[in-house]
mmCIF file of all heavy atoms in Angstrom:
data_model
loop_
_atom_site.group_PDB
_atom_site.id
_atom_site.type_symbol
_atom_site.label_atom_id
_atom_site.label_comp_id
_atom_site.label_asym_id
_atom_site.label_seq_id
_atom_site.Cartn_x
_atom_site.Cartn_y
_atom_site.Cartn_z
ATOM 1 N N PRO J 15 68.975 91.799 98.734
ATOM 2 C CA PRO J 15 68.599 93.214 98.338
ATOM 3 C C PRO J 15 69.725 94.154 98.677
ATOM 4 O O PRO J 15 70.288 94.196 99.800
ATOM 5 C CB PRO J 15 67.313 93.496 99.132
ATOM 6 C CG PRO J 15 66.739 92.103 99.310
ATOM 7 C CD PRO J 15 67.957 91.268 99.544
ATOM 8 N N GLY J 16 70.196 94.910 97.729
ATOM 9 C CA GLY J 16 71.215 96.012 97.992
ATOM 10 C C GLY J 16 72.667 95.332 97.810
ATOM 11 O O GLY J 16 73.583 96.141 97.909
ATOM 12 N N LEU J 17 72.839 94.028 97.884
ATOM 13 C CA LEU J 17 74.202 93.487 97.905
ATOM 14 C C LEU J 17 74.988 93.854 96.624
ATOM 15 O O LEU J 17 76.170 94.267 96.744
ATOM 16 C CB LEU J 17 74.115 91.900 98.125
ATOM 17 C CG LEU J 17 75.456 91.168 98.348
ATOM 18 C CD1 LEU J 17 75.044 89.887 99.032
ATOM 19 C CD2 LEU J 17 76.197 90.867 97.106
ATOM 20 N N LEU J 18 74.354 93.733 95.474
ATOM 21 C CA LEU J 18 75.080 94.081 94.294
ATOM 22 C C LEU J 18 75.459 95.530 94.276
ATOM 23 O O LEU J 18 76.572 95.841 93.844
ATOM 24 C CB LEU J 18 74.229 93.704 93.054
ATOM 25 C CG LEU J 18 74.911 93.951 91.608
ATOM 26 C CD1 LEU J 18 76.266 93.144 91.577
ATOM 27 C CD2 LEU J 18 73.923 93.573 90.561
ATOM 28 N N ALA J 19 74.580 96.477 94.651
ATOM 29 C CA ALA J 19 74.835 97.822 94.653
ATOM 30 C C ALA J 19 76.045 98.114 95.514
ATOM 31 O O ALA J 19 76.918 98.959 95.191
ATOM 32 C CB ALA J 19 73.669 98.582 95.004
ATOM 33 N N ASN J 20 76.085 97.545 96.737
ATOM 34 C CA ASN J 20 77.115 97.689 97.598
ATOM 35 C C ASN J 20 78.511 97.167 97.085
ATOM 36 O O ASN J 20 79.582 97.809 97.146
ATOM 37 C CB ASN J 20 76.840 97.072 99.026
ATOM 38 C CG ASN J 20 77.837 97.475 100.027
ATOM 39 O OD1 ASN J 20 78.025 98.643 100.349
ATOM 40 N ND2 ASN J 20 78.546 96.487 100.589
ATOM 41 N N ALA J 21 78.369 96.065 96.457
ATOM 42 C CA ALA J 21 79.525 95.409 95.921
ATOM 43 C C ALA J 21 80.141 96.195 94.733
ATOM 44 O O ALA J 21 81.323 96.419 94.513
ATOM 45 C CB ALA J 21 79.217 93.996 95.373
ATOM 46 N N GLN J 22 79.199 96.890 93.932
ATOM 47 C CA GLN J 22 79.684 97.776 92.905
ATOM 48 C C GLN J 22 80.412 98.903 93.435
ATOM 49 O O GLN J 22 81.574 99.327 92.836
ATOM 50 C CB GLN J 22 78.519 98.174 92.061
ATOM 51 C CG GLN J 22 77.831 97.062 91.267
ATOM 52 C CD GLN J 22 76.490 97.579 90.601
ATOM 53 O OE1 GLN J 22 75.834 98.389 91.101
ATOM 54 N NE2 GLN J 22 76.262 97.052 89.380
ATOM 55 N N PHE J 23 79.900 99.550 94.453
ATOM 56 C CA PHE J 23 80.582 100.696 95.120
ATOM 57 C C PHE J 23 81.914 100.326 95.608
ATOM 58 O O PHE J 23 82.842 100.989 95.373
ATOM 59 C CB PHE J 23 79.733 101.176 96.181
ATOM 60 C CG PHE J 23 80.251 102.392 96.938
ATOM 61 C CD1 PHE J 23 80.167 103.684 96.473
ATOM 62 C CD2 PHE J 23 80.971 102.194 98.228
ATOM 63 C CE1 PHE J 23 80.776 104.664 97.117
ATOM 64 C CE2 PHE J 23 81.510 103.219 98.851
ATOM 65 C CZ PHE J 23 81.503 104.568 98.226
ATOM 66 N N LEU J 24 82.020 99.187 96.327
ATOM 67 C CA LEU J 24 83.307 98.739 96.860
ATOM 68 C C LEU J 24 84.353 98.349 95.839
ATOM 69 O O LEU J 24 85.529 98.747 95.878
ATOM 70 C CB LEU J 24 83.142 97.590 97.771
ATOM 71 C CG LEU J 24 82.209 97.858 99.045
ATOM 72 C CD1 LEU J 24 82.046 96.523 99.785
ATOM 73 C CD2 LEU J 24 83.096 98.804 99.987
ATOM 74 N N ALA J 25 83.778 97.871 94.607
ATOM 75 C CA ALA J 25 84.597 97.424 93.571
ATOM 76 C C ALA J 25 85.223 98.611 92.908
ATOM 77 O O ALA J 25 86.354 98.690 92.485
ATOM 78 C CB ALA J 25 83.960 96.644 92.566
ATOM 79 N N VAL J 26 84.411 99.680 92.743
ATOM 80 C CA VAL J 26 84.938 100.946 92.104
ATOM 81 C C VAL J 26 86.105 101.509 93.065
ATOM 82 O O VAL J 26 87.157 101.880 92.569
ATOM 83 C CB VAL J 26 83.841 102.085 92.051
ATOM 84 C CG1 VAL J 26 84.352 103.397 91.812
ATOM 85 C CG2 VAL J 26 82.906 101.690 91.036
ATOM 86 N N ALA J 27 85.915 101.496 94.406
ATOM 87 C CA ALA J 27 87.074 101.920 95.225
ATOM 88 C C ALA J 27 88.227 100.967 95.160
ATOM 89 O O ALA J 27 89.403 101.457 95.054
ATOM 90 C CB ALA J 27 86.547 101.849 96.678
ATOM 91 N N ASP J 28 88.093 99.718 94.973
ATOM 92 C CA ASP J 28 89.176 98.729 94.943
ATOM 93 C C ASP J 28 90.062 98.987 93.622
ATOM 94 O O ASP J 28 91.231 98.952 93.834
ATOM 95 C CB ASP J 28 88.547 97.380 94.738
ATOM 96 C CG ASP J 28 87.902 96.812 96.037
ATOM 97 O OD1 ASP J 28 88.341 97.342 97.151
ATOM 98 O OD2 ASP J 28 87.230 95.894 95.934
ATOM 99 N N VAL J 29 89.391 99.339 92.620
ATOM 100 C CA VAL J 29 90.207 99.562 91.284
ATOM 101 C C VAL J 29 90.628 101.029 91.159
ATOM 102 O O VAL J 29 91.698 101.225 90.344
ATOM 103 C CB VAL J 29 89.463 99.070 90.081
ATOM 104 C CG1 VAL J 29 89.141 97.593 90.257
ATOM 105 C CG2 VAL J 29 88.204 99.822 89.812
ATOM 106 N N THR J 30 90.086 101.946 91.686
ATOM 107 C CA THR J 30 90.408 103.321 91.487
ATOM 108 C C THR J 30 91.368 103.892 92.477
ATOM 109 O O THR J 30 92.286 104.754 92.056
ATOM 110 C CB THR J 30 89.239 104.327 91.456
ATOM 111 O OG1 THR J 30 88.507 104.228 92.731
ATOM 112 C CG2 THR J 30 88.229 104.007 90.295
ATOM 113 N N ALA J 31 91.421 103.398 93.675
ATOM 114 C CA ALA J 31 92.379 103.865 94.678
ATOM 115 C C ALA J 31 93.677 103.628 94.256
ATOM 116 O O ALA J 31 94.626 104.645 94.319
ATOM 117 C CB ALA J 31 92.071 103.290 96.025
ATOM 118 N N PRO J 32 94.083 102.584 93.634
ATOM 119 C CA PRO J 32 95.513 102.395 93.179
ATOM 120 C C PRO J 32 95.922 103.304 92.101
ATOM 121 O O PRO J 32 97.047 103.797 91.880
ATOM 122 C CB PRO J 32 95.530 101.022 92.680
ATOM 123 C CG PRO J 32 94.490 100.286 93.421
ATOM 124 C CD PRO J 32 93.477 101.262 93.536
ATOM 125 N N LEU J 33 94.892 103.820 91.270
ATOM 126 C CA LEU J 33 95.151 104.717 90.026
ATOM 127 C C LEU J 33 95.420 106.115 90.677
ATOM 128 O O LEU J 33 96.030 106.907 89.999
ATOM 129 C CB LEU J 33 94.005 104.740 89.132
ATOM 130 C CG LEU J 33 93.672 103.400 88.451
ATOM 131 C CD1 LEU J 33 92.477 103.521 87.483
ATOM 132 C CD2 LEU J 33 94.910 102.988 87.538
ATOM 133 N N LEU J 34 94.854 106.395 91.781
ATOM 134 C CA LEU J 34 94.966 107.814 92.366
ATOM 135 C C LEU J 34 96.289 107.831 93.300
ATOM 136 O O LEU J 34 96.625 108.960 93.674
ATOM 137 C CB LEU J 34 93.810 108.146 93.247
ATOM 138 C CG LEU J 34 92.472 108.155 92.495
ATOM 139 C CD1 LEU J 34 91.338 108.464 93.582
ATOM 140 C CD2 LEU J 34 92.467 109.156 91.437
ATOM 141 N N ARG J 35 96.944 106.824 93.508
ATOM 142 C CA ARG J 35 98.171 106.762 94.275
ATOM 143 C C ARG J 35 99.348 107.230 93.400
ATOM 144 O O ARG J 35 99.528 106.739 92.235
ATOM 145 C CB ARG J 35 98.581 105.443 94.881
ATOM 146 C CG ARG J 35 99.727 105.433 95.666
ATOM 147 C CD ARG J 35 100.103 104.032 96.056
ATOM 148 N NE ARG J 35 100.567 103.229 95.030
ATOM 149 C CZ ARG J 35 100.988 102.017 95.210
ATOM 150 N NH1 ARG J 35 101.155 101.391 96.325
ATOM 151 N NH2 ARG J 35 101.429 101.272 94.153
ATOM 152 N N VAL J 36 100.025 108.323 93.741
ATOM 153 C CA VAL J 36 101.110 108.817 92.882
ATOM 154 C C VAL J 36 102.467 108.555 93.609
ATOM 155 O O VAL J 36 102.630 108.675 94.840
ATOM 156 C CB VAL J 36 100.885 110.319 92.560
ATOM 157 C CG1 VAL J 36 99.632 110.558 91.927
ATOM 158 C CG2 VAL J 36 100.991 111.219 93.886
ATOM 159 N N THR J 37 103.507 108.417 92.713
ATOM 160 C CA THR J 37 104.807 108.221 93.257
ATOM 161 C C THR J 37 105.709 109.260 92.605
ATOM 162 O O THR J 37 107.000 109.281 92.877
ATOM 163 C CB THR J 37 105.306 106.832 93.003
ATOM 164 O OG1 THR J 37 105.301 106.524 91.573
ATOM 165 C CG2 THR J 37 104.464 105.733 93.528
ATOM 166 N N SER J 38 105.251 110.115 91.834
ATOM 167 C CA SER J 38 106.103 111.116 91.175
ATOM 168 C C SER J 38 105.386 112.445 90.931
ATOM 169 O O SER J 38 104.065 112.392 90.896
ATOM 170 C CB SER J 38 106.692 110.630 89.844
ATOM 171 O OG SER J 38 105.620 110.591 88.856
ATOM 172 N N GLY J 39 106.043 113.544 90.759
ATOM 173 C CA GLY J 39 105.340 114.666 90.507
ATOM 174 C C GLY J 39 104.658 114.621 89.103
ATOM 175 O O GLY J 39 103.530 115.127 88.973
ATOM 176 N N ALA J 40 105.137 113.972 88.136
ATOM 177 C CA ALA J 40 104.532 113.879 86.840
ATOM 178 C C ALA J 40 103.237 113.086 86.971
ATOM 179 O O ALA J 40 102.166 113.452 86.341
ATOM 180 C CB ALA J 40 105.392 113.019 85.868
ATOM 181 N N GLU J 41 103.113 111.962 87.832
ATOM 182 C CA GLU J 41 101.816 111.373 88.039
ATOM 183 C C GLU J 41 100.878 112.208 88.802
ATOM 184 O O GLU J 41 99.657 112.220 88.365
ATOM 185 C CB GLU J 41 102.050 110.048 88.858
ATOM 186 C CG GLU J 41 102.826 108.970 88.129
ATOM 187 C CD GLU J 41 103.146 107.749 88.952
ATOM 188 O OE1 GLU J 41 102.939 107.741 90.145
ATOM 189 O OE2 GLU J 41 103.655 106.737 88.476
ATOM 190 N N ALA J 42 101.317 112.974 89.691
ATOM 191 C CA ALA J 42 100.328 113.838 90.419
ATOM 192 C C ALA J 42 99.860 115.014 89.530
ATOM 193 O O ALA J 42 98.664 115.248 89.505
ATOM 194 C CB ALA J 42 101.137 114.615 91.597
ATOM 195 N N MET J 43 100.685 115.581 88.764
ATOM 196 C CA MET J 43 100.364 116.705 87.742
ATOM 197 C C MET J 43 99.352 116.105 86.634
ATOM 198 O O MET J 43 98.523 116.881 86.274
ATOM 199 C CB MET J 43 101.502 117.308 87.133
ATOM 200 C CG MET J 43 102.362 118.126 88.179
ATOM 201 S SD MET J 43 101.321 119.386 88.948
ATOM 202 C CE MET J 43 101.228 120.532 87.595
ATOM 203 N N ALA J 44 99.632 114.814 86.276
ATOM 204 C CA ALA J 44 98.677 114.321 85.272
ATOM 205 C C ALA J 44 97.228 114.246 85.753
ATOM 206 O O ALA J 44 96.195 114.521 85.063
ATOM 207 C CB ALA J 44 99.079 112.823 84.981
ATOM 208 N N LEU J 45 97.015 113.909 87.094
ATOM 209 C CA LEU J 45 95.679 113.879 87.740
ATOM 210 C C LEU J 45 95.164 115.361 87.775
ATOM 211 O O LEU J 45 93.977 115.591 87.452
ATOM 212 C CB LEU J 45 95.787 113.163 89.112
ATOM 213 C CG LEU J 45 96.067 111.743 88.973
ATOM 214 C CD1 LEU J 45 96.138 111.294 90.420
ATOM 215 C CD2 LEU J 45 94.927 110.972 88.411
ATOM 216 N N ILE J 46 96.010 116.223 88.278
ATOM 217 C CA ILE J 46 95.618 117.648 88.659
ATOM 218 C C ILE J 46 95.188 118.361 87.337
ATOM 219 O O ILE J 46 94.167 118.932 87.322
ATOM 220 C CB ILE J 46 96.785 118.302 89.335
ATOM 221 C CG1 ILE J 46 96.943 117.848 90.740
ATOM 222 C CG2 ILE J 46 96.489 119.816 89.373
ATOM 223 C CD1 ILE J 46 98.139 118.281 91.486
ATOM 224 N N LEU J 47 96.024 118.123 86.363
ATOM 225 C CA LEU J 47 95.714 118.886 85.083
ATOM 226 C C LEU J 47 94.542 118.426 84.226
ATOM 227 O O LEU J 47 94.144 119.112 83.299
ATOM 228 C CB LEU J 47 97.040 119.052 84.247
ATOM 229 C CG LEU J 47 98.200 119.783 84.908
ATOM 230 C CD1 LEU J 47 99.317 119.709 83.989
ATOM 231 C CD2 LEU J 47 97.817 121.122 85.252
ATOM 232 N N SER J 48 94.206 117.214 84.503
ATOM 233 C CA SER J 48 93.021 116.569 83.770
ATOM 234 C C SER J 48 91.757 116.544 84.560
ATOM 235 O O SER J 48 90.698 115.917 84.084
ATOM 236 C CB SER J 48 93.400 115.213 83.225
ATOM 237 O OG SER J 48 93.746 114.305 84.311
ATOM 238 N N SER J 49 91.706 117.087 85.713
ATOM 239 C CA SER J 49 90.579 116.929 86.629
ATOM 240 C C SER J 49 89.704 118.273 86.506
ATOM 241 O O SER J 49 90.142 119.425 86.739
ATOM 242 C CB SER J 49 91.025 116.941 88.047
ATOM 243 O OG SER J 49 90.020 117.076 88.993
ATOM 244 N N GLU J 50 88.368 117.900 86.139
ATOM 245 C CA GLU J 50 87.391 119.008 86.030
ATOM 246 C C GLU J 50 87.070 119.552 87.460
ATOM 247 O O GLU J 50 86.789 120.705 87.600
ATOM 248 C CB GLU J 50 86.113 118.518 85.453
ATOM 249 C CG GLU J 50 85.169 119.640 85.267
ATOM 250 C CD GLU J 50 83.952 119.195 84.498
ATOM 251 O OE1 GLU J 50 83.779 117.925 84.335
ATOM 252 O OE2 GLU J 50 82.974 119.995 84.243
ATOM 253 N N ARG J 51 87.164 118.623 88.510
ATOM 254 C CA ARG J 51 87.005 119.160 89.941
ATOM 255 C C ARG J 51 88.131 120.141 90.278
ATOM 256 O O ARG J 51 87.711 121.181 90.848
ATOM 257 C CB ARG J 51 87.111 117.822 90.848
ATOM 258 C CG ARG J 51 85.943 116.978 90.728
ATOM 259 C CD ARG J 51 86.386 115.533 91.232
ATOM 260 N NE ARG J 51 86.842 115.577 92.619
ATOM 261 C CZ ARG J 51 85.991 115.417 93.724
ATOM 262 N NH1 ARG J 51 84.689 115.097 93.488
ATOM 263 N NH2 ARG J 51 86.481 115.343 94.912
ATOM 264 N N VAL J 52 89.291 119.835 89.934
ATOM 265 C CA VAL J 52 90.423 120.857 90.187
ATOM 266 C C VAL J 52 90.156 122.088 89.408
ATOM 267 O O VAL J 52 90.225 123.251 89.988
ATOM 268 C CB VAL J 52 91.725 120.171 90.019
ATOM 269 C CG1 VAL J 52 92.795 121.281 89.958
ATOM 270 C CG2 VAL J 52 92.028 119.089 91.048
ATOM 271 N N PHE J 53 89.808 121.969 88.193
ATOM 272 C CA PHE J 53 89.639 123.132 87.304
ATOM 273 C C PHE J 53 88.553 124.073 87.906
ATOM 274 O O PHE J 53 88.739 125.335 87.987
ATOM 275 C CB PHE J 53 89.225 122.721 85.945
ATOM 276 C CG PHE J 53 88.841 123.725 84.960
ATOM 277 C CD1 PHE J 53 89.770 124.721 84.566
ATOM 278 C CD2 PHE J 53 87.476 123.806 84.540
ATOM 279 C CE1 PHE J 53 89.338 125.812 83.663
ATOM 280 C CE2 PHE J 53 87.138 124.862 83.648
ATOM 281 C CZ PHE J 53 87.968 125.835 83.275
ATOM 282 N N ALA J 54 87.442 123.514 88.231
ATOM 283 C CA ALA J 54 86.286 124.231 88.835
ATOM 284 C C ALA J 54 86.739 124.913 90.188
ATOM 285 O O ALA J 54 86.439 126.112 90.546
ATOM 286 C CB ALA J 54 85.104 123.413 89.111
ATOM 287 N N ASP J 55 87.524 124.238 91.007
ATOM 288 C CA ASP J 55 87.996 124.704 92.294
ATOM 289 C C ASP J 55 88.895 125.803 92.121
ATOM 290 O O ASP J 55 88.917 126.818 92.887
ATOM 291 C CB ASP J 55 88.528 123.652 93.162
ATOM 292 C CG ASP J 55 87.428 122.633 93.701
ATOM 293 O OD1 ASP J 55 86.290 123.053 93.443
ATOM 294 O OD2 ASP J 55 87.817 121.631 94.303
#
């Protein structure tokens, strides 16, 4: 019980963390300018 839900959460972190890592200003701005969270803030 709960194992699949926990695995799903961890898997989301596994695959999204690399996408959020930036190595250039262009990569950082792509995230910033398309983020609704940033827009609202």
Side-chain angles (χ1 to χ4, degrees):
L17 190 153
L18 180 58
N20 189 59
Q22 289 173 327
F23 177 81
L24 293 172
V26 168
D28 289 339
V29 300
T30 56
L33 296 176
L34 298 176
R35 183 184 68 174
V36 301
T37 57
S38 70
E41 290 179 349
M43 292 302 286
L45 293 175
I46 290 169
L47 295 178
S48 60
S49 169
E50 185 178 4
R51 290 158 59 90
V52 169
F53 173 66
D55 287 352

